[in-house]
Amino acid sequence: MVQDATVKTHVKTTINGELVEFLVEPYRSLLEALRDVLGMTGTKEGCNDGNCGACTVNLDGRIVDSCLVLAAEVNGKQLNTIEGMATPEGLHPLQQTFLEEAALQCGICTPGFLVAAKALLEKEPHPSEDSIRFWLAGNLCRCTGYDKIVRAVQKAAETPSKGSK
Amino acid sequence: MVATDKQPEYKVLGTRPIRPDGVDKVTGRAQYGADVRLPGMVYGTVLRSPHAHARIKSIDTSKAEKLPGVLAVITGANMPIAESKDVEAGEEVANYRDDSNRVMAHDKAGFKGQPVAAVAALDMNTALEAAKLIAVDYEVLRPAINVDEAMASDAPIILEYLVGDHLGEDVPNTNIAKHARHIFGDVDAGFKEASVVVEREFQLSTVHQGYIEPQNATAFWNNDGQLTIWTSTQGAFWVRTSVAGILMVPTSHIKVVPMEIGGGFGGKIGVYLEPLAALLSKKCGRPVKMQMDRKSVFEATGPAPAGKVKVKVGVDAKGKITAATADVRYEAGAFPGASIGPAAGCIFAPYKVENTYIDTYDVVVNKSKSAAYRAPGAPQVAFAMESLVDEIAEKLGMDPLEFRLLNASQEGDRRADGPKFPRIGNIEVLQAAQASPHWQSKLEHNPSNGKLRGRGIASGFWFNGGMKSSVNINVTTDGTVTLVEGSTDIGGSRASISMQAAEVLGLRMEDVHAYVADTNSVGYNDVTGGSRTTNTSGLAAYNAAQKVVTTMTARAAKLWDVKVEELQFEDGAFSSKSDPELKLTFKELATKLDQTGGPVGETGSAVGVSGAGGFGTHIVDVEVDPETGKVDVLRYTSVQDAGKAIHPSYVEGQMQGGAAQGIGWALNEEYVMSGDGAMENATFLDYRMPTAYDLPMIEAIIVEVPNPFHPFGVRGVGETPIVPALAAVANAVHDATGARFPQLPIKPGRILESLAAKNGS
Amino acid sequence: MAVVFIPTILRKFAGGRTTVQVEAATVGEVIDKLEQEYPGIRERLVNPDEEDRLRPGLATFVDGETSTEGLRRKLTPNAEVHFLPAIGGGAV
């Protein structure tokens, strides 16, 4: 029998528009809660210290590295992750343009980039190349050299919004 | 695209369909190694040596074993003494005994971060706490952390059982695992004919592949002795072979399931966690999941070797190279195996040189064993040679591109390690670079913003690997096919392999459903790496598809009751050469397979031919801030011979990605080592890789000089993209500042020092 | 007659020669003939554990192409044969 010395925290939050409740140790990060407690493995771990952006999620309208947020902190907040970008009707324009422009190779950084780029286009619907690169500087990609990622964001910016989340 | 030969009209090859695994990857559904979740799964962690060089006197795991929640603890004592047997392993030659020591130290730690124990527990936190309770008694030894220290006469001997191969002689008590030599012609005579001789020494630091996904492995050792491993790897079959050799179990007892992989670049060929997860699972009877943290990835996986490269080149009055020598010394890390062979093959590859003399040294040092990093061994020597060529061209007052054209190697010329080049595209690439908008554009060297601008150019070469691949194609009754293959898809290979099958079968790529299978479900496949996958796995798919066509033609003959010789397959349809009424499309015939003999499925195997490689030339414009030393890359063009670009977007992707890695290697990336062998910058913050804000768009110009050894002319493209980048950037910074940078990285401090020295302050 | 390039570090077995002309139908026969003329060279080329294989890490290039057939590789009449380290990067 395992002696459980930790009292877990009860967290109630909205993830991708759905009410979600879970128990988690107070010392665990949001990244760990998403992946290990909730089984939402779309958000990835690259460094676990806030330097690569692979774990990017959208918390109350702001993109954050979920490895730097405690799971308990999202109680009562609105969280949007990669799992919420597509709908049964179709992919988000960014997801579509990433595919068309071949903006991914191994794909491990892709969820982080998509969440980050979505937040950019919501704030600035027609960003310049410089704005795109600056905004995405917190997301590391080792495969693509970023060229096709930037082009995919530019292309999505030109796509009329279909009203997806 | 610049195609040199008249290309056949292809229906699928050369188009840009959306890759078959794309939707899963953009929705976060794709399952990578760390996403594995199994019933009863527990978590493992590794205790690592804090010392770069130490004898392990004893390990006491008793306190750790007693911690509630801990299910198993292992040390080197739990591992068999593996055979010291050399085995070919994808991009390296591996040795089971070395690999066994590498994944878990037995009696000695040879690098900081080397595993000395591992723990499995119900949750990760407990595992980490337990690891802290393991008491290891070390006798700390003096480390040798670079080539000079390791080759010194009083160097501490790192691998006591190592017998070095020094020019064919067995030499014990050494850190020089191998000293090889390649001689052709007569360099002394060659240098006598030279009117200009330049010799330089270059130095490079350790750099890491920088894949964003850390290593991971989940293992379950079942009661029936069957071991299943889920892992992110470049080669599931190599994992199987390697684990079998290290743990001394039959390969037939092991199944490896390749998960999606978050980057590899050569660094995910060797095993790290797999044998440990397996042993922990055997001990506790549960599936054990392990993941490396980022610090361990830096310290304890396989970076590219640091080293020293000395090059000497002589040219005659016309600018023709008359002789070239090199002395190449690479840090192998704590176990032998730095890529000195390829270094010798690549260093002078872009040039026709008849008199060459190359010494190469594979040197053991107290760092983690180096692994392949994209064209292993080539970027370092290309940095040296291409910088030297730039210096010579400048001395002669020659345009550096014209110099390269004058001396360009071509079919029939000999590489410095022996073989003659078959048909290659070196000259075509140089010509395309010369004609490029970038090269043709004028660069303002002293813009009004007070910064310094410069342009650099460099060339490079890498082989394309052959090795073995195997695929199965099964025809579905709706006229599509499934293609079961064994090549982990790192960069779009499901697409490029499917497209080759589709071309043969007259189908669309979307009608070929590619699936990457485990080691029980598909025939043997060598690693995804070595610039071999599109070429050789594609060839296997081509062979399987040809067999499918043959079998289905026979079915059509049966259906129509005619002789097979009367039939043909063209444009996706089977028809009679004599009777135009007899015609069925692939789809139509597929619905009748059950009437003509049952399901149709074929295996295709291929042993790729390696011989024709790919050349690349890069052009880069930089802007240097003379006050801060910061270098901005303004414009970048990569020109490369792909033979035949199956899916041009993914060929461009390889070219752009390699350029970005090369830029990082040139300007920022290095392992900062303390004197006692610890890496001081083991985070993505301080190990500075390029971000989106550091780079411009990267123009990729694909040249197509068909590979004579592949039915579609495909050359491997994955590795050449990094090779020219280091010197291209260095040469550009030279053009901007007037200073030369024989030591990488060319960081701001070095630039400021050079500028100050130039200005006499 | 095949032209065999002797690896630099083995040239001392072959009296310092860079190339040797050998009448042989396969790579294996080449090595046998070399061993007859230059004893000691064989053990440097052949796998000590499996005599019908090259040493691990060694590859043959015949007329610019590699092959996994090793010692069984058939030679054309004027083939050029090299023995090279199996190139890291995957070119075997």
Side-chain angles (χ1 to χ4, degrees), chain B residues 226-230 240 251 253-257 518-520:
Chain B
Q226 294 295 315
L227 170 60
T228 305
I229 298 174
W230 296 260
R240 185 180 73 173
T251 50
H253 288 197
I254 304 173
K255 176 172 92 169
V256 180
V257 181
D518 64 54
T519 55
N520 280 0

Side-chain angles (χ1 to χ4, degrees), chain C residues 28-89:
Chain C
E29 271 183 46
V30 164
I31 295 177
D32 290 339
K33 296 256 168 104
L34 286 177
E35 178 70 11
Q36 277 171 29
E37 276 291 306
Y38 310 114
I41 202 170
R42 185 194 177 79
E43 78 166 286
R44 291 280 165 187
L45 294 171
V46 170
N47 191 321
D49 298 324
E50 290 173 74
E51 284 203 7
D52 61 347
R53 284 177 177 276
L54 288 168
R55 277 191 161 264
L58 208 57
T60 44
F61 261 72
V62 177
D63 291 332
E65 290 178 44
T66 55
S67 152
T68 54
E69 289 165 26
L71 302 183
R72 284 180 209 82
R73 177 79 174 276
K74 287 198 173 69
L75 303 179
T76 52
N78 297 309
E80 192 178 287
V81 181
H82 293 262
F83 296 100
L84 278 194
I87 289 154

Side-chain angles (χ1 to χ4, degrees), chain A residues 131-143:
Chain A
S131 287
I132 294 172
R133 289 183 178 279
F134 184 76
W135 185 270
L136 295 177
N139 290 78
L140 291 181
C141 172
R142 196 56 161 169
C143 295

